[in-house]
Amino acid sequence: MAVVPDKPDRVEEPWRENLHLQIICKDCKEIPPNITEEFSSGDMVCNTCGLVLGDRIVDTRSEWRTFSNDDQNNDDPSRVGDAANPLLNGSQLQTSIAFGDGGVKARELHRAQNKVTHDKGTKTLLAAYKEIGALCDAWHIPKNVSDTAKHLFKMVNDAGAFRGKSQDVVIAGCIFIACRQCHVPRTFREIFALTKVSKKEIGRIFKSLEKFFAAQNQAKADTVLQAGGIVNPNDSYNTTTSTNAHELCIRYCSQLSLNQKTTMVSQQLADKMSTVGALAGRSPLSAAAACIYFASHLMGYPRTAKEISLVAGVSDGTIRTSYKLLEVEKDKLIDPAWLKVEKADINNLPKV
């Protein structure tokens, strides 16, 4: 009886892509094929006859955006997510483990991972950023002001300055400076109402922060110059100036629902007021309120002193007193072009 030897077991080779395969058009059958991959539409098209050979193809090319200049380790992370957040420290590429409904073990793993990856400095920054964002949103302060205040706070935190000061005080000072930097100034009284930090403390931290940022800017400029570089004026800190009545008029007029022409007249009146010398020594709040009271009556859209006082935060008696000083100089302050507008009349001004 013949014995059939057992066939040796066939060894399966690992899968490898066959690079000898070519895709050709089934109608043209041209070799070499004249095929184009249109990634914008996700189609593979024959250039000769226009037949669509495939759809929903995947774009395997590198992404067009790159963040290599922003990366701290000189790598090109263009394929690994969004750009790094300049307001946070570290690589920011950690993986967060969520426990969800995973049970006790998943919760313990999540807790252990948080202890390893989350440092105290990042938690402090995130808590401060959250508070700054909440305070700015509460008073409808623009987002660029919020981002500027966060950047200023990070500069203070990285330098380890003002460790004896309360975080709320530093945040109030950063928001106050950010408002001035972005040309939407707020008064000490408004920052006090927002942050509950006393006006005296805000004034102190404001002066200290101004000196600190100026010193930081000077040190940075000296380092660039010593290296033979050129200082970028857009990247430097500019010392803020005091709030004037011109900057406050536009916001108060908006809250009083005054038209654009009346707002412009009140701003021009605030500029002329300083030239003529009227209301010298008065606070910007009183001056802005008096200019709005004057302009609203002159242009035929009057607002009472009581209404303006609720917006500006000064008493109606102060507004009337400041208005009397403006009314005395009305011939020097009023521009004849203002009276050409409909409803505008010098006789509309209240009598002193």
Side-chain angles (χ1 to χ4, degrees):
M1 180 177 179
V3 178
V4 179
D6 296 335
K7 293 182 180 180
D9 295 336
R10 185 178 179 181
V11 179
E12 293 185 1
E13 295 183 0
W15 180 87
R16 291 182 298 176
E17 184 180 0
N18 188 353
L19 301 178
H20 298 288
L21 294 178
Q22 271 189 329
I23 300 176
I24 64 174
C25 179
K26 61 182 181 180
D27 290 348
C28 302
K29 298 181 181 180
E30 288 183 341
I31 296 178
N34 186 15
I35 296 174
T36 300
E37 293 180 343
E38 296 182 353
F39 294 108
S40 59
S41 59
D43 296 333
M44 185 182 297
V45 183
C46 176
N47 288 334
T48 304
C49 65
L51 180 67
V52 178
L53 304 177
D55 59 351
R56 298 182 182 180
I57 60 174
V58 178
D59 188 355
T60 56
R61 301 173 300 174
S62 177
E63 296 180 15
W64 63 271
R65 58 182 183 172
T66 177
F67 308 108
S68 56
N69 295 330
D70 301 332
D71 189 44
Q72 299 175 356
N73 298 324
N74 295 324
D75 289 329
D76 182 8
S78 60
R79 300 284 297 172
V80 288
D82 205 354
N85 187 352
L87 297 175
L88 296 177
N89 299 319
S91 62
Q92 305 171 30
L93 295 177
Q94 299 92 348
T95 300
S96 299
I97 301 175
F99 59 88
D101 297 330
V104 179
K105 290 185 177 180
R107 186 179 289 105
E108 291 177 355
L109 185 61
H110 169 75
R111 193 172 301 164
Q113 191 256 356
N114 282 342
K115 289 181 180 179
V116 173
T117 58
H118 292 179
D119 59 324
K120 187 177 180 181
T122 303
K123 288 183 178 179
T124 303
L125 285 175
L126 290 174
Y129 295 161
K130 184 177 180 181
E131 184 173 356
I132 291 173
L135 291 173
C136 292
D137 290 343
W139 278 51
H140 305 289
I141 297 177
K143 188 178 184 301
N144 63 328
V145 178
S146 174
D147 293 340
T148 303
K150 292 175 184 178
H151 176 66
L152 295 176
F153 183 87
K154 186 177 185 298
M155 291 174 60
V156 175
N157 186 77
D158 290 346
F162 306 105
R163 291 193 179 275
K165 289 285 186 180
S166 170
Q167 181 173 294
D168 294 338
V169 176
V170 178
I171 287 176
C174 290
I175 293 176
F176 181 78
I177 294 176
C179 288
R180 286 192 172 185
Q181 289 280 344
C182 298
H183 307 290
V184 283
R186 296 295 188 271
T187 61
F188 286 117
R189 188 180 301 172
E190 290 174 309
I191 300 297
F192 162 69
L194 175 64
T195 61
K196 305 305 178 185
V197 177
S198 66
K199 292 186 286 185
K200 191 175 183 180
E201 281 292 332
I202 297 174
R204 286 176 179 173
I205 194 64
F206 164 67
K207 293 180 180 178
S208 301
L209 286 173
E210 284 273 86
K211 293 180 180 178
F212 168 75
F213 292 136
Q216 288 279 94
N217 184 50
Q218 186 62 40
K220 183 179 179 181
D222 293 342
T223 303
V224 173
L225 292 175
Q226 289 176 3
I230 300 176
V231 179
N232 184 6
N234 297 324
D235 194 27
S236 59
Y237 176 80
N238 298 320
T239 305
T240 60
T241 57
S242 59
T243 305
N244 53 49
H246 177 94
E247 296 172 332
L248 296 174
C249 281
I250 185 170
R251 182 156 54 91
Y252 292 163
C253 288
S254 176
Q255 295 176 4
L256 290 167
S257 301
L258 291 171
N259 58 21
Q260 185 178 4
K261 186 61 181 178
T262 305
T263 303
M264 292 176 60
V265 169
S266 65
Q267 289 181 303
Q268 294 174 12
L269 187 63
D271 294 335
K272 283 191 172 185
M273 170 197 68
S274 57
T275 305
V276 174
L279 300 184
R282 294 277 177 173
S283 70
L285 294 174
S286 303
C291 289
I292 293 173
Y293 184 75
F294 188 103
S296 63
H297 283 82
L298 177 67
M299 303 306 293
Y301 299 94
R303 296 294 186 272
T304 64
K306 188 67 175 177
E307 292 175 323
I308 300 175
S309 67
L310 296 176
V311 172
V314 294
S315 66
D316 51 348
T318 303
I319 296 175
R320 292 192 182 94
T321 303
S322 300
Y323 166 74
K324 290 178 183 179
L325 300 176
L326 291 179
E327 205 271 341
V328 173
E329 303 287 347
K330 64 181 179 181
D331 295 332
K332 298 179 181 179
L333 293 174
I334 295 177
D335 189 341
W338 299 348
L339 301 177
K340 297 179 181 179
V341 181
E342 186 181 0
K343 291 187 178 182
D345 190 355
I346 195 172
N347 296 323
N348 294 335
L349 294 175
K351 302 299 180 182
V352 177

